[in-house]
Structures are given as C-alpha cells and as structure tokens.
C-alpha cells in the first residue's frame, strides 16, 4: 500500500507541469512562434475610426485593430518610390541607423550610413533601416486621424520610426511600453499577438536583457518553454495601405514579406485616460502631417510613474514573487549580469536600489506585494522615478564603453 502512494505521488509530481502531456507531440513544438494553438482574428475597420471610437473601443480596452486602407491617405503612399527618395537632395546628407541581420538579434551590430547609400544597396542585402522618420519626409505622412487630439499632440508623442527593408525580417517576441499605430506603405507583414492579460505569465519576456523573449521564433522548443504550449494567439496580416493598432504591452512578433516600408508612431499610454475628446479632430484633418507635430523621445517616458507601476505589477504577475533580488534584476536590466561579473566596480548603485525598494516595500518585510504596488502613492513613484533616472546616469557612466547596440529601446519590427 505504501509503495502505491509513493508511485502515485511521484506521478503527480512528474505530470505537474503539462498534466502528463507529451509536449513534443503538441502541434506547435519546433514550429514558428504562433503555431499550434487556437487562433483569434483581430478586429478590422475600413479606414481610420474617429478618435473617440478608437480610444473607447480599442485603446482603453487594449484590443488590436486593423485599419484597412488607412495608410493610403498619406501622400507618401503614392509618392514614395526609391527614385523619388533618391531625387531628394537631403537623402545624400542624411545619416540613418541600419540593422545588419534580418532575423532580429538584440546583440547585432547597428551601423550608420547615408540614406541614399542604403537605398542603393538594400534590395541585395540584409540591411534593415530602423530609425526616426527623416525630417524631410515628415510632410509625406499623415498624422493618424484617431490620435489627432491636442492632449496627445501637445506633450505625449514619443517617437516615429521608419522600418525599411527588402523583406524577410523576423522580430523577436517582445512588447513595448507605449501605444502604437503602424502604417504599411509597401509589402506585407504577418503579426502574432499574445494578450498579456491572459497569457502574460506564460511568455518568458523579462530577462535581464530587456522586454523580449530569447525564444527562437522559427522553432519554438516546448521542452525549453513548456508554458508556451498553452498560449492562444491572435494572427493578423497587414498589407501595403493598411494601418494597425498595437496595444500597450501586448506581446507580439512580426515578419515581413516583400519590399517593405512602414512608419509607426508611439505615444504615451499613461496619458490616454486624460484625453479630452472635445480637443480631438472628430473630422480628420488630412493636411496634418508628421512634420507638424513634436515627438519627445523615450527619455523621460521609461521612468514615468505609470510605467514603473505597470512594470512592477507585470513582473509580479509573471514571477509570482518580488523580493529584492528580482527587483534588482528588473531595475538593472541588461546591466544585471555585467555587474555580477565586475566585483571591483563598487556598489554605490545598490544604495539607489535599496532606497527605491524601501519606498514600495511599505511594511518592510522584504517582499513587495500587489497591494503595496497598487497602494503606493504617485508621490512615491515620482521619488522612485527620480532615483531610477539617477541610477541610469550612474550606470551609463560606469559603462561608457558598453556596446551601444544593446540599447534597450522598445523595438518593434513593423
Ligand atoms: C528595390 O526593389 C523594389 C521592389 O522590387 C523596387 O520597387 C525598387 O525600385 C528597388 N530599388 C532599387 C534602388 O533598385
Ligand atoms: C496570413 O498570410 C499567410 C500567408 O499567405 C496565411 O497562411 C495566413 O493564413 C494568413 N493569416 C491570416 C490571419 O489571414
């Protein structure tokens, strides 16, 4: 009898994870990311919705949306041939950042080159332009109608990026801490989404390297990532002429096919709730182009109050426990491992970290709970955010020669 119980208990332990499933027999095993589980479609509309509809139905509820034909409203949609770009004098003066491998690696080399030089070679190379929209092209891109709101345009636009290649790019699985509208001017893209509110704890995204997963997007090994066998996906194809809303913190992976050019805009998600729809263009101003609005960059956003709080909640949701060591890993990001390998570098940075941690670990028991995160005041987060900025400066100084290509900027492939 006794041995029966032991065997029974062992069987439970062995089946603990995947309830006795043979994961190697699951349909998605060793297949591209997004394979094998029930797929959901993404909502679609013709053209751009008005701001109020867009925010109420999609942004506030964090639901992706495909806007068919919306990027055709931009002058660039018909203007932008390579000959047109090359005919502009500015193209041969303007330097751009270019990725050097099409299957994304956050450790790859980023080079810079003239826009005109890129245009001459991209069709026969791995080069992938991922950089701010060149200023002289801003007038060719309509500022998307659903975000034509004074409250956003005055202070909450983060960045606008041009994604340009001859196709065949594959992004890593990642999320961005901003809202995103991405408009396709050439080619096709295929996106796979994971809803973080349902499966955020099953996609191993937060390594010490930043907000992306190390999983091989061409061959997902369920023995290495067993939780992925349970995840459901959303799939959407976007074609030249379409735009796509990618919600704040939604996990996604992107592939591109054929000569590919996309422009995206990122804006500050934290401010959305304060938008006054009376100060939005209910009727789209089709003359309003990118050159007429100001993007502030990622600088102050990363350490903003709401972003820190959401990041802590998300981390806790996935790791189940937030003690000091996890907090340290989260706050140090890509520096975490490096610092471990450099014992002689001093530990002043630990002082900043313990001050931050003490601000949210209200009852000082060494563990931060969901309640503590949610109940911490804005004032406390502002203090944390200031400490975080000081820490960033200190780390940047300590690692001045550290490979800049590992810059942890939210990074999309669209
Ligand atoms: C690159 O390829 C695209 C698609 O075939 C074509 O439209 C474009 O003109 C080519 N560019 C150059 C500079 O050859
Ligand atoms: C996207 O396109 C691919 C290739 O044509 C196709 O296999 C897939 O079913 C499409 N997905 C959706 C959601 O339409």
């Amino acid at each position: 009898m006794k041995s029966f119980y032991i065997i029974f208990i062992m069987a439970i332990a062995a089946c603990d994870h995947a309830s006795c499933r043979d994961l190697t027999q699951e349909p998605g095993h060793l297949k591209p990311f997004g394979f094998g589980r029930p797929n959901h479609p993404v909502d679609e509309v013709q053209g751009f919705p008005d701001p109020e509809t867009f925010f109420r139905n999609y942004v506030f509820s964090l639901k992706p949306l495909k806007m068919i034909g919306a990027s055709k409203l931009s002058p660039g949609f018909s203007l932008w041939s390579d000959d047109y770009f090359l005919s502009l004098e500015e193209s041969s003066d303007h330097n751009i950042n270019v990725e050097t491998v099409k299957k994304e690696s956050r450790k790859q080399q980023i080079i810079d080159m003239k826009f005109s030089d890129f245009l001459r070679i991209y069709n026969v190379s791995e080069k992938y332009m991922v950089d701010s929209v060149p200023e002289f092209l801003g007038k060719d891109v309509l500022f998307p109608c659903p975000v034509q709101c004074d409250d956003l345009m005055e202070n909450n636009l983060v960045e606008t990026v041009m994604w340009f290649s001859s196709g065949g790019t594959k992004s890593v699985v990642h999320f961005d801490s901003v809202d995103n509208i991405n408009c396709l001017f050439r080619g096709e893209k295929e996106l796979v989404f994971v809803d973080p509110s349902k499966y955020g704890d099953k996609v191993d995204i937060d390594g010490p390297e930043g907000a992306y997963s190390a999983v091989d997007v061409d061959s997902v090994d369920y023995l290495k990532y067993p939780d992925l066998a349970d995840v459901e996906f959303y799939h959407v194809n976007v074609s030249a002429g379409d735009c796509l809303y990618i919600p704040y913190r939604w996990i996604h992976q992107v592939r591109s096919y054929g000569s590919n050019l996309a422009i995206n805009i990122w804006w500050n998600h934290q401010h959305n709730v304060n938008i006054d729809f009376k100060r939005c263009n209910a009727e789209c101003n089709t003359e309003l182009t990118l050159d007429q609005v100001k993007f502030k960059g990622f600088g102050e956003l990363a350490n903003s109050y709401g972003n820190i709080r959401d990041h802590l909640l998300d981390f806790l949701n996935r790791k189940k426990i937030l003690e000091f060591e996890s907090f340290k890993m989260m706050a140090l990001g890509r520096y975490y491992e490096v610092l471990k390998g450099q014992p002689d570098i001093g530990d002043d940075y630990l002082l900043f970290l313990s001050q931050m941690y003490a601000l949210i670990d209200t009852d000082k028991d060494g563990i931060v709970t969901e309640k503590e995160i949610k109940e911490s005041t804005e004032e406390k987060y502002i203090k944390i955010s200031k400490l975080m900025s000081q820490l960033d400066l200190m780390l940047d100084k300590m690692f001045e020669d550290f490979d800049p290509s590992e810059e942890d900027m939210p990074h999309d492939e669209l």
Side-chain angles (χ1 to χ4, degrees), residues 15 17 26 34 67 79 86 89 124 131 150 157 173 189 197 200 246 254 279 301 305 340 348 371 409:
C15 290
H17 189 82
E26 292 287 322
M67 295 164 275
L79 266 182
L86 284 164
E89 224 172 87
V124 290
D131 201 356
D150 292 348
L157 302 178
V173 176
K189 286 188 197 288
S197 72
I246 302 177
V254 190
R279 302 196 339 121
L301 179 79
Y305 144 67
K340 265 211 230 162
D348 290 349
K371 191 159 174 278
M409 154 179 160

Side-chain angles (χ1 to χ4, degrees), residues 170-187:
K170 300 165 188 176
S171 77
V172 292
V173 176
H174 68 287
F175 67 78
D176 304 322
S177 299
V178 270
D179 276 310
N180 189 353
I181 288 181
N182 193 300
C183 293
L184 197 49
F185 286 70
R186 285 189 203 174

Side-chain angles (χ1 to χ4, degrees), residues 32 47 50 74 86 101 114 121 134 167 172 180-181 188 190 233 235 258 298 306-307 319 328 371 399 407:
D50 66 87
S74 280
L86 284 164
V101 294
K114 299 279 183 234
I121 54 104
V172 292
N180 189 353
I181 288 181
E188 312 271 329
E190 213 175 333
F233 301 96
H235 282 246
F298 277 97
N307 273 338
K319 308 282 169 175
K328 204 168 120 188
K371 191 159 174 278
F399 293 103
E407 204 91 58

Side-chain angles (χ1 to χ4, degrees), residues 177-400:
S177 299
V178 270
D179 276 310
N180 189 353
I181 288 181
N182 193 300
C183 293
L184 197 49
F185 286 70
R186 285 189 203 174
E188 312 271 329
K189 286 188 197 288
E190 213 175 333
L191 275 98
V192 177
F193 283 115
V194 176
D195 180 349
S197 72
K198 296 212 174 78
Y199 297 106
D201 59 340
K202 297 204 179 286
V203 188
D204 188 16
I205 278 223
D206 218 304
E209 310 243 328
Y212 71 96
S213 164
V215 69
D216 181 347
V217 297
D218 288 331
S219 174
V220 175
D221 187 343
Y222 283 169
L223 295 177
K224 221 166 138 191
Y225 301 93
D227 285 343
L228 286 182
D230 299 327
V231 170
E232 292 182 15
F233 301 96
Y234 288 75
H235 282 246
V236 63
N237 290 346
V238 190
S239 304
D242 302 336
C243 298
L244 182 71
Y245 166 57
I246 302 177
Y248 173 73
R249 293 188 85 97
W250 267 54
I251 296 158
H252 56 282
Q253 198 263 328
V254 190
R255 290 164 191 270
S256 74
Y257 301 95
S259 191
N260 234 264
L261 203 175
I263 304 285
N264 86 297
I265 67 146
W266 276 305
W267 74 94
N268 180 357
H269 172 80
Q270 305 301 339
H271 187 77
N272 290 336
V273 291
N274 300 327
I275 293 176
D276 175 0
F277 291 112
K278 290 203 254 349
R279 302 196 339 121
C280 298
N281 293 340
E283 187 126 345
C284 189
N285 174 2
T286 53
E287 308 279 299
L288 181 59
T289 45
L290 288 188
D291 55 324
Q292 298 168 54
V293 292
K294 198 166 156 27
F295 293 87
K296 298 181 70 173
F298 277 97
E300 58 191 84
L301 179 79
N303 290 344
S304 81
Y305 144 67
N307 273 338
I308 295 175
R309 189 200 51 213
D310 287 357
H311 203 64
L312 289 168
L313 284 172
D314 183 63
F315 194 91
L316 186 62
N317 174 39
R318 280 181 292 107
K319 308 282 169 175
K320 305 303 171 209
I321 183 153
L322 185 50
E323 31 38 292
F324 185 63
E325 195 62 25
S326 314
F327 177 77
K328 204 168 120 188
M329 190 202 281
M330 198 189 81
L332 292 173
R334 67 204 165 100
Y335 291 117
Y336 180 74
E337 290 296 327
V338 190
L339 281 164
K340 265 211 230 162
Q342 311 241 355
D344 51 340
I345 206 146
D347 49 12
D348 290 349
Y349 69 95
L350 283 175
L351 199 68
F352 282 108
L353 288 169
S354 8
Q355 283 170 358
M356 282 183 241
Y357 194 74
L359 282 164
I360 28 174
D361 181 17
T362 331
D363 63 8
K364 311 277 173 264
D365 67 347
I367 289 179
V368 167
T369 61
E370 188 175 328
K371 191 159 174 278
E372 284 171 323
I373 299 174
K374 285 190 171 156
E375 287 178 0
S376 284
T377 55
E378 176 159 359
E379 188 193 346
K380 274 193 182 177
Y381 281 109
I382 290 169
K383 274 191 198 153
I384 293 174
S385 129
K386 284 192 180 136
L387 287 165
M388 201 80 101
S389 303
Q390 280 172 277
L391 176 69
D392 284 349
L393 276 179
M394 176 176 191
L395 291 170
D396 285 347
K397 233 180 164 160
M398 274 157 80
F399 293 103
E400 253 165 1

Side-chain angles (χ1 to χ4, degrees), residues 81-83 86 118-123 166 186 258-259:
S81 64
D82 291 353
D83 286 341
L86 284 164
F118 168 80
L119 287 162
R120 292 190 186 95
I121 54 104
Y122 79 98
N123 272 345
S166 58
R186 285 189 203 174
S259 191

